[in-house]
Amino acid sequence: MKPDSSSGKSSILDVARAAGVSTASVSNFLNGHHGEMRADTRQRIADAVEALGYVRNIAARQLKTGRAPIIALLVPSVANPYFGELAVAVDAEAQRHGFHMILCNTQRNPGHELSVVQELVDGGVHGIISALAFNENITHMERFIQRGAAFVFLENSDHALAHHYADIVSIDQERPTAMAVAHLAEQGHSAIAYVSLSELTDNRIARLDGYKKAMSQRGLPHRIITDHGLPSREIPYSDASLAHFGQMVAARLCHDAQPMPTGIICMNDLTAFGVMFGLREAGLKIPDDVSVIGIDGIALSQFTVPPLCTSRQPYDLLARTAIEKIRASLDDRTRKKDRTLLEPQLLQRASVGRCRAS
């Protein structure tokens, strides 16, 4: 009997018969495990799926495997466009391998992060990618791993257990600031400041270390500018207020007794946007008076005036590597976890110019 394609009730067996392949081949295709499958086989299966109107029964798959075909991405907040662009890349890669992606904002709250992970695992979501894993939560991960969860951290956590419980996929976080110092030094700058929030995550610590090391190697003095001493606020600086933080830093620099730095490196692009805005408000020109460099390489950075020089993170490669690690761990719970460090790319743009200080 020919299945009723309009009802969406076709089975995986119907698809296999229509494509002239085994049900195992159809299952591999639907789960993104294409491996050595020939292109014409993939096409026949795809044509059969479309012709029969086959709809995957996710609930049935979860009952069979004990896990949902879903990967969760935990980010501090998509108010920072970096995390939005990362989410797009992870979602595209997850779909390519037959997974759906859930996006969760933790708001940089360790208690909320832990409760989110608990709810995800309880709901059968066993693939979890965390852009910011709190060290105080890592000790809780073992119980989730014992229930079949697989974790990838996109931050270089310094917690001793992080490398045992999770794969780590990150850019080398010292490189962006080291490259920024080198680029400014090549343009004749020696008075180079670094702008960062005082709340230091592992990534922020690494970027700060990269700045300090690069300056020390050139015999240049450090000048680190944080939120200490800025006007008090009812709430801490968040991802949504990073540009405002940068604007306030620029205002402070313009009224500081110390000389204005000729080069400023910012902890991320949003902070750099605010710094540039604040400098222009004070009547300074970029890069004639001050050169500015950001970190992350978000798409908006090319549309500032002038375009922002920044270190771009390899979003697609981060996503691809993270999904590969998740799939490997779900397929083999005994595999040894590892760390992958990726290289950022310095996008040399017009916000950096030759130093004109006498």
Side-chain angles (χ1 to χ4, degrees), residues 171-173 175-176 179 311-314 342-346:
I171 70 164
D172 183 343
Q173 294 290 352
R175 289 288 295 149
M179 291 191 298
S311 291
R312 178 170 174 79
Q313 299 211 34
L342 306 175
E343 282 290 312
Q345 176 190 9
L346 182 65

Side-chain angles (χ1 to χ4, degrees), residues 71-93:
I71 286 176
L73 173 65
L74 277 58
V75 301
S77 172
V78 290
N80 184 340
Y82 163 71
F83 294 116
E85 294 186 30
L86 175 66
V88 169
V90 172
D91 186 40
E93 188 65 21

Side-chain angles (χ1 to χ4, degrees), residues 16-275:
R17 287 172 175 167
V21 299
S22 66
T23 55
S25 293
V26 176
S27 179
N28 286 335
F29 173 84
L30 295 173
N31 291 324
H33 301 156
H34 296 168
E36 299 180 359
M37 190 180 295
R38 290 170 43 175
D40 62 331
T41 301
R42 291 198 303 270
Q43 189 60 55
R44 290 203 311 275
I45 297 173
D47 291 344
V49 167
E50 182 177 0
L52 296 174
Y54 175 73
V55 178
R56 303 175 69 185
N57 189 329
I58 293 177
R61 177 180 171 186
Q62 184 172 349
L63 286 171
K64 179 180 178 181
T65 65
R67 63 179 187 247
I70 296 171
I71 286 176
L73 173 65
L74 277 58
V75 301
S77 172
V78 290
N80 184 340
Y82 163 71
F83 294 116
E85 294 186 30
L86 175 66
V88 169
V90 172
D91 186 40
E93 188 65 21
Q95 289 188 47
R96 199 170 72 84
H97 291 283
F99 290 95
H100 301 285
M101 188 197 80
I102 294 177
L103 177 63
C104 306
N105 291 271
T106 66
Q107 303 300 338
R108 299 186 183 272
N109 183 316
H112 182 54
E113 178 194 56
L114 188 60
S115 66
V116 166
V117 173
Q118 179 74 62
E119 290 175 8
L120 289 169
V121 176
D122 287 347
V125 178
H126 287 173
I128 300 173
I129 300 171
S130 177
L132 175 64
F134 290 94
N135 284 336
E136 56 261 51
N137 284 342
I138 290 175
T139 55
H140 297 281
M141 298 302 177
E142 183 176 15
R143 74 171 189 263
F144 300 127
I145 291 170
Q146 289 176 345
R147 294 175 57 186
F151 290 88
V152 170
F153 297 156
L154 301 183
E155 180 157 311
N156 269 331
S157 175
D158 62 0
H159 195 290
L161 290 176
H163 314 294
H164 176 70
Y165 290 154
D167 290 289
I168 295 175
V169 181
S170 172
I171 70 164
D172 183 343
Q173 294 290 352
E174 291 189 8
R175 289 288 295 149
T177 44
M179 291 191 298
V181 169
H183 184 44
L184 288 168
E186 288 169 358
Q187 298 301 313
H189 296 271
S190 57
I192 303 171
Y194 182 65
V195 175
S196 174
L197 287 174
S198 56
E199 182 183 357
L200 296 178
T201 63
D202 291 325
N203 279 358
R204 292 175 187 174
I205 291 171
R207 291 177 182 184
L208 179 58
D209 288 344
Y211 163 78
K212 290 178 178 178
K213 290 176 183 178
M215 294 291 283
S216 296
Q217 288 170 356
R218 291 167 175 78
L220 301 176
H222 307 161
R223 187 174 178 185
I224 301 164
I225 304 165
T226 71
D227 49 307
H228 287 312
L230 292 178
S232 61
R233 296 167 55 89
E234 294 182 0
I235 58 173
Y237 287 101
S238 66
D239 289 83
S241 62
L242 288 170
H244 182 62
F245 161 62
Q247 179 188 13
M248 296 182 73
V249 164
R252 175 205 277 175
L253 285 172
C254 292
H255 294 90
D256 201 326
Q258 296 186 60
M260 174 70 70
T262 64
I264 299 176
I265 303 168
C266 299
M267 59 178 270
N268 57 29
D269 288 347
L270 280 187
T271 302
F273 292 172
V275 166

